[in-house]
Amino acid sequence: MPQQLTLRVRPRLAAVAVLLLLAFVAATARTATAATPLTVAQAVATQNNSVQTVRGYIVGEPVATSTVNRSGFTDDLAVALADTAGETSTSKMVYVQLTTQWRSTWGLRTHPANLGKQVDVTGTLTAYFSHAGLKSPSAISAVGSTPNPTTTTTSPTSTTSTTTSPSPTGTATGPYDSTYYAPAIGKTGSALRASLHSIIRNQTVLTYDQVWEALKDTDQDPNNPNNVIEIYSGRSIARSDNGGGVDQWNREHVWAKSHGDFGTANGPGTDVHHLRPEDVTVNSTRGNLDFDNGGSPVAQCTGCLSDADSFQPRDAVKGDVARMILYMAIRYEGDDGWPNLEPDESVGNGTAPYIGKLSVLKAWSAGDPPDAFEKRRNQVIYDTWQHNRNPFVDHPEWVGAIWP
Ligand SMILES: [Ca+2]
Ligand SMILES: [Ca+2]
């Protein structure tokens, strides 16, 4: 009898297995046929009046065929999308018409912090401003946020009440997750970026004079409290030997201050999350160069390379440099009187508020995770000086969650 029972059950199991298989195949097919958003490059090449969904970063406000404002926004009527957040070439953009229903949520005059956000826009691929366009949108949503665009919000109270969905990137846990970072936990993409920005922009702003004292604290040599460590060269030097003379150390702006031309007024120019002690001569060699791999050896800076358009620090601080640059990108979004700083894929950015190369910085961050020195520095800045944190030191995986 037991054997007969087994024989009866087996066909049933087989039938269930077949049903499960069919369900799986159906689900897979549904996924495979779901529309993949077009890139901006594809949208530019497909101006055929079809209705499509395009994914891109908001890079400015188009006001004429070849003019896109990146700051000083004049209206909420249109936004330009590109495949990279730092794109400045209008030929690599698609201009999105914002019909009335979208202006209060997506217009840059009302929401300048939308600059740099990644969005999906569904509309008609047709010329706008005599330029590649996407008109009459039926849906606009931030990538990584809830798909219903009407729930997109910018006020801090609404942000914190957003339902937490599981993060597709997976997250490490940290000591500040239930406090400082609570509104950001579980988010990714543009939602994570917006949340982190609203968290870290609350800070004490130092004067340029205070930066000297802060650096003597934040960059203290762990083996000699009377010294500081120079970022690029790694040299330990008396903390009191600061100034403008040869072989002294001075205040290096890792985000070169000419990139966005913010100078040394209280603000990004005095933000010690990216200010570091460096030898005067090495600081001068780095100048305002973008970051990239390669070049010739740099005098007084073992392991550093430099050429006409880029600088590469020693291996031990490559990740530190990357996380400082990416901190600046999230901290400065153009909404508090300073330029919207962004990483891009260029070298030779000059005075534009961009620093390259993003792909290299991402690799540097992955290859050189935060060590005790970098973590202590972040803590000292938080406890004593600015009272804000570098999220990428606490959660290096957020680099990939924001810049996939
Ligand atoms: Ca490091
Ligand atoms: Ca920014």
Side-chain angles (χ1 to χ4, degrees):
M1 285 303 278
Q3 256 188 336
Q4 267 188 350
L5 189 66
T6 312
L7 285 170
R8 276 191 183 172
V9 169
R10 276 199 178 137
R12 251 187 229 174
L13 280 174
V16 168
V18 166
L19 283 173
L20 283 173
L21 183 66
L22 285 173
F24 174 74
V25 167
T28 310
R30 202 161 50 236
T31 307
T33 54
T36 306
L38 299 183
T39 64
V40 171
Q42 289 171 325
V44 169
T46 317
Q47 293 286 299
N48 60 1
N49 294 303
S50 64
V51 174
Q52 303 273 5
T53 299
V54 178
R55 177 168 292 183
Y57 294 91
I58 297 175
V59 295
E61 174 198 18
V63 291
T65 302
S66 55
T67 308
V68 171
N69 294 335
R70 287 194 59 98
S71 59
F73 305 114
T74 59
D75 220 322
D76 292 329
L77 303 176
V79 293
L81 298 187
D83 286 324
T84 59
E87 185 60 65
T88 55
S89 168
T90 55
S91 67
K92 294 179 180 171
M93 297 177 189
V94 65
Y95 293 173
V96 178
Q97 178 187 39
L98 293 180
T99 43
T100 314
Q101 70 184 112
W102 304 111
R103 290 174 193 161
S104 64
T105 306
W106 291 106
L108 284 167
R109 185 179 64 179
T110 303
H111 296 292
N114 281 343
L115 194 69
K117 285 186 179 171
Q118 192 181 28
V119 291
D120 284 342
V121 182
T122 305
T124 303
L125 288 169
T126 189
Y128 185 40
F129 284 99
S130 304
H131 182 281
L134 187 60
K135 293 179 72 173
S136 308
S138 59
I140 304 179
S141 61
V143 175
S145 75
T146 52
N148 182 351
T150 60
T151 63
T152 305
T153 56
T154 52
S155 74
T157 45
S158 312
T159 305
T160 47
S161 68
T162 302
T163 48
T164 49
S165 52
S167 163
T169 58
T171 50
T173 55
Y176 289 88
D177 289 3
S178 61
T179 52
Y180 188 71
Y181 291 123
I185 298 302
K187 291 180 179 167
T188 190
S190 57
L192 177 60
R193 169 191 270 262
S195 185
L196 291 177
H197 171 66
S198 66
I199 293 168
I200 67 176
R201 72 193 293 266
N202 293 310
Q203 65 159 107
T204 297
V205 178
L206 306 181
T207 68
Y208 202 41
D209 273 345
Q210 285 177 307
V211 167
W212 286 125
E213 293 313 305
L215 294 184
K216 289 173 183 178
D217 185 9
T218 57
D219 289 71
Q220 183 183 87
D221 182 347
N223 299 314
N224 182 349
N226 294 320
N227 281 18
V228 293
I229 302 284
E230 294 171 345
I231 172 88
Y232 304 133
S233 49
R235 183 176 66 150
S236 179
I237 181 172
R239 47 186 273 171
S240 58
D241 197 7
N242 59 300
V246 173
D247 291 334
Q248 287 192 304
W249 68 270
N250 63 3
R251 296 162 289 189
E252 155 70 353
H253 291 80
V254 174
W255 183 291
K257 61 185 186 296
S258 64
H259 290 232
D261 197 24
F262 49 74
T264 58
N266 300 2
T270 64
D271 190 326
V272 290
H273 274 296
H274 84 113
L275 282 159
R276 302 297 287 264
E278 185 47 73
D279 174 79
V280 167
T281 306
V282 175
N283 190 340
S284 166
T285 304
R286 190 274 160 131
N288 64 357
L289 293 170
D290 291 274
F291 293 104
D292 194 6
N293 291 311
S296 307
V298 175
Q300 300 178 57
C301 194
T302 306
C304 305
L305 298 174
S306 169
D307 60 21
D309 62 15
S310 69
F311 185 87
Q312 173 189 321
R314 64 192 167 110
D315 288 346
V317 295
K318 282 178 174 168
D320 311 49
V321 165
R323 288 180 285 274
M324 286 187 272
I325 295 298
L326 299 178
Y327 161 87
M328 294 295 277
I330 298 295
R331 168 62 188 87
Y332 298 99
E333 296 282 47
D335 56 356
D336 49 5
W338 297 106
N340 179 10
L341 307 179
E342 288 299 319
D344 68 5
E345 275 304 297
S346 302
V347 288
N349 271 307
T351 58
Y354 315 126
I355 278 193
K357 285 183 174 176
L358 175 59
S359 58
V360 171
L361 294 169
K362 284 167 62 182
W364 286 359
S365 179
D368 172 36
D371 64 7
F373 186 94
E374 190 180 356
K375 288 177 182 172
R376 175 194 171 272
R377 182 172 207 283
N378 193 30
Q379 193 65 39
V380 171
I381 294 172
Y382 179 68
D383 289 339
T384 308
W385 296 98
Q386 294 188 176
H387 312 297
N388 69 340
R389 306 185 67 84
N390 181 334
F392 304 113
V393 175
D394 293 314
H395 281 282
E397 78 279 6
W398 280 346
V399 173
I402 293 178
W403 291 278

